[in-house]
């Protein structure tokens, strides 16, 4: 027939943990109590970091800072699915990912205080510097995945970005290449439904972001981004699929940006507090707490202890960060190239 | 007349031009509901509607590309790129298309658009928010590059840029947005593109600057008999004004916030060397940022030319 249906598609949406703390047992990933506690503790650590960073910014001790508030499940749930040898390409709002992977906390603060040395990821990590230019790191992840496969390394590459990044050409070009070459890469979009003042519907006319992957020939799945178990399950499956040669996956974590875009923004200019209140009720940490409470996991002052420990960990990191001597002028030159050119050498010496 | 800052002056210019001419449309990220991240387009979406003040997705290449299509069709788009550091994705559209549409179609089509963008540093912002890469765009024959240095020049130049029949890149020095207030006429006025202004007369040397460096230069020259030229348009730059001043003073210091190598100062110095060398009594000196990527705030003060570096260069040329 000349008018056949050529393709139809479906987009899955995964939720495991509901707002009352109940889980769908059939979908619940196998996680020990220790692993669940680790999720919770990292989410609390991330939130504590975030609160402190915002306070430090108000006191002028940090520069402009983008809050992770409300996105903890999307970040911790996915980062916990990574192996140590995997490569991570973050955008600028993934401090929960870095904290989960064990990135030195004081360096995160140092970066946001206006000191590039905070971008130095430890030797035993494969975390790229945060990418401030929206979406432009997506092709880098694709390239690293191409290299990993060339080397026959069992490495998976993960790129993190926001809903706004899906409007960039780099997103489309990177996705296309990942599909064409069937690469071991997982794209994790934290769809927090805002890109500064532009709501999701101003970013795309598509019913979901997940379905964008289909046009590039690989799977896209939407998960409840405030459900740490759903995120973890989807990320684990995608990462293992990539590791075993199954190609790329796009995971859209549907969440919400609870705070202003950054400390330089005032979201009350463009969105109603009622919308924010709706999402406050879906708080990812509260949800996990309810689950743990139902299982009797919060006994003996566990919540308080977790928060106290997080606070002291962040206190310590702030002290470490503030004890770092300011960078010397030479610092600005020394990493420009492996060998400075003669003019740079002169400039470095003040000439 | 009102004493206003540069954001207000730009807002005033855009608003009055939108009222005067329904071909003027604004597009860019967060320009509508939010009024732009620096509030330059504040209030316009309510006033003119979302068909004329368009909040776009994050798509710099398409913002400029669309503006080209709109301009060729007969509108006068004023596109905003949120920060100059995010314009690089639109380089292709600017260089390959905006700059050449007239030439490629032998003037059958032209591209009367303006791309406005905050540029330059000193605002303690994150990476890529403090770029000063104006020279790239001066190397694109077919595009004009304009840099106001205060509220008064901002308004007059923006009106001239919108009315220009060709593409104009309009670089707004971010550090000056709210730093300086000036008397700005309520009514329309334009400042011609391609013309510099002598902001201070003097006989011993000529200091050439633009954008936020002008403010710093004016502080540096206080105790000198220096003539100060504010270029206002970088491409095409006002060689006539520069050469006339050099003829008078015989000494030149050029100050820019961008890195030295292939910075726009090189073009000015070359022009003076070609056409004014007989008037020179001293080497032409440049005070610039070093050849490194723009650092974050902790090192920024070492990066941007300081008043001391400017006065040192002045003292140096005065030795001759
Ligand atoms: C290429 C580029 N254009 C514009 C900006 C300015 N900007 C910074 S964040 C942002 C919104 C990003 O939205 P999204 O991708 O959804 O990430 P989120 O901020 O919500 O985490 C914009 C427009 C930028 N950083 N990079
Ligand atoms: Mg977003």
């Amino acid at each position: 027939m000349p008018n056949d249906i050529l393709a139809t598609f479906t987009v899955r949406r995964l939720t495991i943990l509901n707002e009352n703390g109940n889980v769908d047992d059939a979908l619940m990933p196998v996680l020990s109590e220790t692993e669940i506690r680790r999720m919770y503790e990292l989410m609390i650590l991330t939130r504590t970091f975030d609160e402190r960073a915002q306070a430090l910014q108000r006191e002028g001790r940090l520069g402009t800072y983008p809050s992770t508030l409300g996105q903890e499940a999307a970040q911790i749930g996915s980062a916990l699915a990574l192996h140590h040898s995997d490569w991570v390409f973050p955008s600028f709002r993934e401090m929960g990912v870095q904290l989960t992977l064990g990135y030195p906390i004081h360096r995160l603060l140092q970066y946001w205080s206006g000191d590039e040395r905070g971008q130095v990821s430890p030797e035993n990590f494969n975390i790229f510097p945060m990418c401030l230019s929206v979406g432009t790191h997506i092709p880098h992840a694709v390239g690293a995945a191409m290299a990993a496969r060339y080397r026959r390394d069992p490495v998976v590459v993960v790129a993190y970005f926001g809903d706004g990044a899906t409007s960039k050409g780099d997103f489309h070009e990177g996705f296309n290449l990942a599909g064409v070459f069937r690469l071991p890469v997982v794209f994790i979009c934290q769809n927090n439904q805002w890109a500064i003042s532009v709501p999701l519907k101003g970013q795309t006319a598509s019913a979901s972001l997940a379905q964008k992957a289909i046009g590039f020939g690989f799977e896209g799945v939407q998960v409840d981004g405030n459900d740490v178990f759903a995120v973890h399950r989807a990320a684990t499956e995608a990462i293992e699929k990539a590791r075993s040669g199954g190609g790329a996956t796009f995971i859209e974590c549907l969440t919400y940006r609870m705070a202003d875009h950054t400390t330089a923004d005032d979201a009350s200019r463009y969105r109603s507090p009622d919308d924010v209140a709706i999402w406050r009720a879906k708080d990812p940490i509260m949800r996990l707490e309810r689950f743990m409470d139902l299982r009797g996991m919060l006994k003996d002052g566990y919540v308080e202890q977790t928060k106290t420990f997080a606070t002291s960990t962040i206190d310590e990191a702030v002290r470490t960060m503030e004890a770092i001597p300011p960078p010397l002028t030479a610092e600005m030159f020394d990493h420009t190239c492996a060998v400075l050119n003669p003019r740079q050498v002169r400039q470095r010496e003040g000439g | 007349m009102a004493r206003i800052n540069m954001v207000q002056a730009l807002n005033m210019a855009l608003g009055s031009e939108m009222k005067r001419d329904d071909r003027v449309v604004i597009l860019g990220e967060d320009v509508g509901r939010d009024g732009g991240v620096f509030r330059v387009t504040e209030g316009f979406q309510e006033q003119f509607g979302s068909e004329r003040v368009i909040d776009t997705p994050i798509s710099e290449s398409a913002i400029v590309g669309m503006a080209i299509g709109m301009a060729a069709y007969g509108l006068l788009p004023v596109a905003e790129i949120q920060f100059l550091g995010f314009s690089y994705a639109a380089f292709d559209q600017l260089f390959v298309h905006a700059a050449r549409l007239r030439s490629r179609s032998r003037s059958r089509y032209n591209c009367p658009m303006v791309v406005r963008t905050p540029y330059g540093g000193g605002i303690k912002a994150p990476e890529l928010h403090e770029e000063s890469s104006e020279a790239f765009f001066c190397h694109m024959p077919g595009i004009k590059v304009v840099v106001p240095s205060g509220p008064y020049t901002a308004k007059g130049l923006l009106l001239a840029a919108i009315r220009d029949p060709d593409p104009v890149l309009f670089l707004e020095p971010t550090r000056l947005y709210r730093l300086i207030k000036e008397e700005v006429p309520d009514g329309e006025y334009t400042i011609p593109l391609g013309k510099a202004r002598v902001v201070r007369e003097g006989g011993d040397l000529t200091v050439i600057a633009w954008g936020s460096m002008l403010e710093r230069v004016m502080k540096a020259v206080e105790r000198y008999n220096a003539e100060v030229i504010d270029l206002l348009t970088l491409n095409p730059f006002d060689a006539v004004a520069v050469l006339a001043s050099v003829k008078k003073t015989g000494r030149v210091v050029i100050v820019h916030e961008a890195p030295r190598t292939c910075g726009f100062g090189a073009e000015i110095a070359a022009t003076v060397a070609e056409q004014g060398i007989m008037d020179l009594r001293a080497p032409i000196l440049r005070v610039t940022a070093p050849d490194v990527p723009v650092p974050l705030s902790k090192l920024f003060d070492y990066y941007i030319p300081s008043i001391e570096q400017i006065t040192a260069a002045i003292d140096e040329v005065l030795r001759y």
Side-chain angles (χ1 to χ4, degrees):
Chain A
M1 287 296 149
N3 213 5
D4 287 344
I5 290 174
L6 186 60
T8 54
F9 64 85
T10 50
V11 188
R12 288 189 300 125
R13 172 180 161 80
L14 181 66
T15 306
I16 298 176
L17 174 63
N18 73 15
E19 284 163 42
N20 303 322
N22 295 310
V23 292
D24 182 329
D25 289 322
L27 295 171
M28 181 68 186
V30 181
L31 291 166
S32 69
E33 204 174 294
T34 315
E35 286 171 314
I36 292 169
R37 285 191 193 281
R38 180 150 166 72
M39 284 177 164
Y40 179 74
E41 287 157 18
L42 284 163
M43 287 167 79
I44 294 288
L45 182 69
T46 302
R47 188 158 293 186
T48 309
F49 175 93
D50 194 66
E51 283 163 3
R52 184 66 59 84
Q54 299 211 50
L56 291 171
Q57 190 281 334
R58 280 192 294 273
E59 292 164 20
R61 290 152 76 189
L62 291 192
T64 305
Y65 171 81
S67 172
T68 53
L69 184 65
Q71 299 182 208
E72 296 87 352
Q75 302 193 1
I76 282 87
S78 58
L80 280 173
L82 286 158
H83 289 188
H84 208 76
S85 53
D86 292 340
W87 281 60
V88 181
F89 289 76
S91 77
F92 50 84
R93 202 192 292 286
E94 272 90 40
M95 279 66 81
V97 171
Q98 282 123 339
L99 291 170
T100 301
L101 297 175
Y103 194 95
I105 304 172
H106 68 273
R107 282 204 201 148
L108 291 174
L109 293 166
Q110 188 185 5
Y111 178 64
W112 291 115
S113 80
D115 184 344
E116 278 88 354
R117 294 173 299 173
Q119 288 267 41
V120 182
S121 83
E123 280 299 330
N124 53 336
F125 280 67
N126 300 309
I127 307 182
F128 237 48
M130 296 184 206
C131 181
L132 271 285
S133 176
V134 167
T136 53
H137 57 307
I138 293 172
H140 309 160
V142 176
M146 182 80 105
R149 191 171 63 192
Y150 177 75
R151 289 290 190 212
R152 304 288 183 265
D153 291 336
V155 161
V156 174
V157 182
V158 174
Y160 283 93
F161 48 88
D163 43 301
T166 65
S167 300
K168 286 286 292 183
D170 303 276
F171 164 91
H172 295 268
E173 296 181 28
F175 268 47
N176 190 42
L177 269 82
V180 167
F181 296 109
R182 214 178 149 81
L183 293 171
V185 57
V186 176
F187 301 109
I188 300 181
C189 176
Q190 294 181 75
N191 175 3
N192 62 11
Q193 305 188 54
W194 289 92
I196 310 187
S197 72
V198 176
L200 185 65
K201 68 175 180 342
Q203 210 66 244
T204 183
S206 180
S208 75
L209 296 175
Q211 72 201 59
K212 289 179 188 264
I214 292 161
F216 296 109
F218 56 91
E219 192 191 358
V221 54
Q222 188 184 77
V223 303
D224 181 335
N226 286 13
D227 168 352
V228 70
F229 297 140
V231 173
H232 188 61
R233 183 189 169 120
T236 306
E237 284 174 1
I239 288 169
E240 291 326 312
K241 179 177 103 182
R243 209 181 302 284
S244 56
T249 307
F250 179 30
I251 300 173
E252 173 191 3
C253 301
L254 186 68
T255 178
Y256 196 81
R257 196 194 79 211
M258 294 297 298
D260 292 339
H261 169 67
T262 64
T263 49
D265 176 48
D266 173 9
S268 71
R269 292 171 61 87
Y270 53 78
R271 72 178 185 188
S272 114
D274 299 347
D275 292 351
V276 185
I278 292 170
W279 281 88
R280 193 165 296 122
K282 300 177 196 277
D283 187 300
I285 295 187
M286 203 157 74
R287 233 193 256 195
L288 181 58
E289 250 171 33
R290 285 182 182 150
F291 168 86
M292 293 171 79
D293 198 20
L294 291 173
R295 314 254 149 161
M297 288 171 69
L298 302 183
K299 287 196 288 254
D300 305 325
Y302 172 71
V303 171
E304 277 321 301
Q305 281 160 28
T306 305
K307 289 184 177 165
T308 308
F309 183 72
T311 304
S312 63
T313 307
I314 302 300
D315 284 346
E316 174 72 35
V318 173
R319 276 195 297 275
T320 309
M321 184 267 289
E322 296 204 317
I324 299 169
L328 302 172
T329 325
E331 175 74 30
M332 177 164 82
F333 292 89
D334 289 348
H335 304 280
T336 310
C337 303
V339 179
L340 296 186
N341 68 39
R343 181 175 275 194
Q344 288 170 319
V345 170
R346 265 202 318 281
Q347 292 172 344
R348 184 179 183 277
E349 282 152 15
Chain B
M1 279 288 207
R3 257 189 100 67
I4 56 174
N5 66 30
M6 191 188 286
V7 169
Q8 294 166 313
L10 291 164
N11 182 275
M12 197 188 217
L14 283 168
S16 72
E17 202 64 357
M18 287 190 84
K19 263 187 230 136
R20 197 181 75 100
D21 189 337
D22 72 1
R23 293 174 301 166
V24 179
V25 295
I26 290 175
L27 68 159
E29 294 157 18
D30 306 287
V31 297
R33 185 87 185 263
D34 201 30
V37 293
F38 289 102
R39 313 286 178 247
V40 170
T41 55
E42 170 115 58
F44 290 164
Q45 199 174 60
E46 291 99 275
Q47 197 180 346
F48 299 106
S50 51
E51 256 191 326
R52 284 187 76 189
V53 183
I54 305 160
D55 267 328
T56 66
I58 306 177
S59 304
E60 284 78 12
S61 175
I63 291 168
V64 175
M66 264 179 73
I68 294 169
M70 293 166 107
Y73 198 93
L75 301 186
L76 299 176
V78 180
E80 176 176 308
I81 296 294
Q82 203 160 78
F83 287 88
L84 181 59
F86 305 128
S87 72
Y88 307 137
F91 215 80
D92 194 26
Q93 290 296 342
L94 282 169
F95 192 36
V96 172
H97 293 292
R100 303 178 205 211
L101 183 61
R102 181 186 285 283
S103 168
R104 288 171 59 234
S105 70
R106 290 295 179 263
S107 292
R108 168 69 176 81
Y109 294 108
N110 67 331
C111 193
M113 68 173 194
V114 177
V115 177
R116 299 180 30 249
T117 184
Y119 104 112
I123 55 163
K124 294 198 178 347
E127 201 182 348
L128 290 167
H129 292 68
E130 309 212 355
E131 303 274 294
S132 184
S133 44
E134 65 269 29
F136 292 156
F137 305 95
C138 293
H139 204 62
M140 295 185 178
I143 289 185
K144 296 187 178 72
V145 179
V146 174
V147 187
S149 54
Y152 178 82
T153 55
K155 178 173 173 182
L157 287 168
L158 185 55
L159 288 178
I162 297 172
R163 294 175 194 182
D164 194 88
D166 290 310
V168 178
L169 179 66
F170 196 85
L171 301 173
E172 300 167 2
T174 320
R175 194 169 67 86
L176 302 187
Y177 266 147
R178 294 170 197 280
L179 187 71
I180 313 171
K181 284 193 174 183
E182 284 173 358
E183 295 290 335
V184 174
D186 300 323
E188 288 173 26
Y189 64 96
T190 56
I191 296 175
L193 306 187
K195 285 269 178 295
R197 60 180 189 142
V198 177
V199 280
R200 187 181 194 268
E201 305 242 8
D204 290 346
L205 82 156
T206 303
V207 185
I208 301 164
W210 53 91
S212 87
M213 280 299 109
L214 185 75
E215 184 253 356
R216 197 155 281 194
V217 163
M218 292 306 280
K219 286 184 184 145
V221 298
E222 268 164 18
R223 55 188 184 84
Y224 297 95
N225 179 17
E227 181 140 300
V228 177
I229 295 185
D230 176 9
L231 274 192
L232 296 177
T233 302
L234 300 188
N235 194 17
F237 88 96
D238 191 348
V240 173
V242 168
L243 292 166
S245 181
V246 173
K247 196 176 192 70
K248 185 163 108 184
T249 66
R251 300 182 186 89
V252 186
V253 172
I254 303 160
V255 184
H256 62 66
E257 173 175 344
R260 167 160 310 216
T261 301
C262 291
F264 196 69
E267 183 58 36
I268 303 167
T271 305
V272 173
E274 281 168 350
Q275 297 175 46
I277 200 157
M278 299 315 223
D279 299 320
L280 284 176
R281 286 197 261 166
I284 303 165
L285 290 192
R286 286 178 285 165
V287 184
T288 70
D291 291 323
V292 302
V294 185
L296 293 180
S297 61
K298 291 247 153 112
L299 283 169
F300 193 78
D301 287 344
Y302 301 113
Y303 173 82
I304 194 163
S306 63
I307 291 182
E308 295 68 39
Q309 285 169 311
I310 299 168
T311 54
I314 293 174
D315 291 336
E316 172 73 17
V317 297
L318 288 177
R319 290 223 315 265
Y320 293 86

